[in-house]
Amino acid sequence: MKCRECVEQLYPYLDKELTPPVETEVRAHLEHCHPCHDQFEFEALFLRFLHARTRAQGAPPELKEKIVRELLEE
Ligand SMILES: [Zn+2]
């Protein structure tokens, strides 16, 4: 798996939406790729923060998706 492919799986991976074989590939990549590992760590932290915030504000899921989509487009 290349870094670009790995990063494309970032959100599905964090949301646990990947199929087991793909998840295994992502995890294997993260184990030996520090840049991707760091990025995943950062996004995981950020997502946790986002989830906590949107839950606290009672934001609808569509809003959360919109925020995530905008982040991915940057
Ligand atoms: Zn990588």
Side-chain angles (χ1 to χ4, degrees):
M1 182 177 271
K2 295 190 174 61
C3 290
R4 204 180 57 84
E5 296 171 273
C6 185
V7 168
E8 280 172 5
Q9 308 298 335
L10 198 154
Y11 281 98
Y13 176 80
L14 293 174
D15 285 335
K16 303 198 180 353
E17 285 169 358
L18 292 177
T19 55
V22 181
E23 194 185 319
T24 305
E25 272 191 66
V26 170
R27 201 172 296 141
H29 182 94
L30 294 180
E31 270 173 28
H32 62 77
C33 183
H34 285 278
C36 286
H37 183 264
D38 287 351
Q39 189 173 352
F40 271 56
E41 287 266 281
F42 174 80
E43 296 294 343
L45 273 176
F46 177 77
L47 264 196
R48 218 172 297 147
F49 164 80
L50 191 68
H51 282 168
R53 252 189 104 97
T54 52
R55 212 171 13 232
Q57 294 171 352
E62 306 89 71
L63 176 63
K64 199 173 75 184
E65 271 173 38
K66 185 171 168 281
I67 295 170
V68 169
R69 211 170 308 128
E70 279 171 11
L71 287 170
L72 285 174
E73 280 165 8
E74 271 173 15

